[in-house]
Amino acid sequence: MMMKALLSCILIMLAAGTANAASWRCGSALVSTGDSSGEVQSKCGDPNNRAFLGYKEVTDQYGFVNEVQVEEWSYGPRNGMSYFLRFEGNRLEKIDSKRGN
C-alpha cells in the first residue's frame, strides 16, 4: 500500500513538472508555448529565418493520429542572444536561445 502511495506521488510530481509553459519576451510583447504562429508573428514580426523541418505524427486528445507540419523560426541576435521557436501544427511547441553566433 505504501509503495502505491509513493508511486502516485512521484507520478503527480512528474506531471506537474511538465505543465510549465515556456515564454519569450519580444519587444513589449510576450509569447508562450501553445500560441499560434499567427499570434507570434503579429506580436514579434517576421522572423529572420523560417525553416520547414518536415512532418510529425501527433495523437490528439481523442486518440486520433494526425500529421502536422514542423517549422523552426529564428529571431535575433538581440542583445547577443538568438532565439529559436519550434512550431508543430502552427502551435508554438518549444523556445530555445543561444548566446553568440
Side-chain angles (χ1 to χ4, degrees):
M1 184 68 174
M2 186 155 168
M3 187 63 131
K4 271 187 169 179
L6 180 61
L7 182 59
S8 294
C9 286
I10 291 171
L11 291 174
I12 290 170
M13 287 172 30
L14 287 173
T18 60
N20 295 334
S23 59
W24 171 56
R25 182 166 300 282
C26 58
S28 62
L30 185 68
V31 296
S32 301
T33 53
D35 288 354
S36 72
S37 57
E39 288 175 278
V40 173
Q41 191 168 13
S42 71
K43 290 179 181 179
C44 302
D46 290 328
N48 293 351
N49 188 35
R50 190 175 180 160
F52 171 72
L53 301 178
Y55 294 95
K56 177 180 178 181
E57 284 188 354
V58 295
T59 305
D60 67 16
Q61 63 189 7
Y62 304 107
F64 294 105
V65 177
N66 299 299
E67 191 172 73
V68 296
Q69 183 172 315
V70 180
E71 284 188 325
E72 183 175 83
W73 294 8
S74 61
Y75 288 91
R78 293 181 181 171
N79 298 321
M81 293 288 285
S82 294
Y83 299 92
F84 305 93
L85 285 61
R86 181 185 179 102
F87 291 89
E88 295 180 3
N90 291 323
R91 290 285 168 191
L92 182 56
E93 187 66 28
K94 185 177 181 184
I95 303 169
D96 283 324
S97 60
K98 181 180 176 187
R99 184 160 296 284
N101 294 342

